[in-house]
Amino acid sequence: MRRLCYLWVAMLCLLGACGEKKTEVDDLQPDKVYFFYSNGCPHCHSALEYINQKYPKLSLSMVNVENAGGYELLVKCARKFKLGRQIGTPLLCMGDNYLMGWAPEYEAKFDSYVKPYL
């Protein structure tokens, strides 16, 4: 289990080290599932682990909020959902639905929101 956790941390670090993806500077698209994350966020790792285990074929648009373009897209998402200044990661945006933060009780809500994207 520890190795799996280290693998997820390494993966998120590598994603952060890569150049910005095109999605990070685009407008939010209603047909995509956006996963806003921060490299050091333990809740992001938990959410990603759950999603990858339950939905291995789900296409996520990974957006690192530590990159300028990623932060810009995060702000657009926050405006869309009128989140104000209290924005945290992970933030999952799926069309007209969002989840901010992650805990086991969020899993069922995520499952219902993600159905149209499977």
Side-chain angles (χ1 to χ4, degrees):
M1 185 67 172
R2 243 187 177 162
R3 285 184 180 174
L4 182 61
C5 183
Y6 290 130
L7 178 64
W8 288 120
V9 169
M11 184 182 78
L12 285 176
C13 289
L14 286 174
L15 285 172
C18 295
E20 291 181 17
K21 295 181 181 181
K22 187 176 185 319
T23 57
E24 291 187 351
V25 293
D26 289 343
D27 286 329
L28 293 169
Q29 297 176 17
D31 61 338
K32 290 187 176 183
V33 177
Y34 292 91
F35 186 100
F36 294 92
Y37 71 95
S38 175
N39 289 331
C41 171
H43 303 291
C44 294
H45 298 285
S46 296
L48 189 58
E49 183 177 341
Y50 172 80
I51 294 166
N52 285 334
Q53 284 179 354
K54 187 150 185 185
Y55 304 102
K57 295 184 181 188
L58 178 64
S59 177
L60 290 175
S61 294
M62 300 296 293
V63 183
N64 186 342
V65 300
E66 295 172 10
N67 295 331
Y71 181 76
E72 193 176 306
L73 194 59
L74 174 74
V75 170
K76 287 180 183 182
C77 183
R79 285 186 189 134
K80 175 182 178 176
F81 293 108
K82 299 177 181 155
L83 300 178
R85 295 179 188 201
Q86 300 297 323
I87 308 168
T89 57
L91 177 62
L92 294 128
C93 297
M94 302 159 270
D96 293 330
N97 297 304
Y98 77 92
L99 282 174
M100 185 166 47
W102 191 262
E105 58 267 18
Y106 288 23
E107 294 172 1
K109 190 173 269 194
F110 177 81
D111 293 343
S112 68
Y113 288 167
V114 80
K115 282 183 183 179
Y117 302 92
L118 300 175

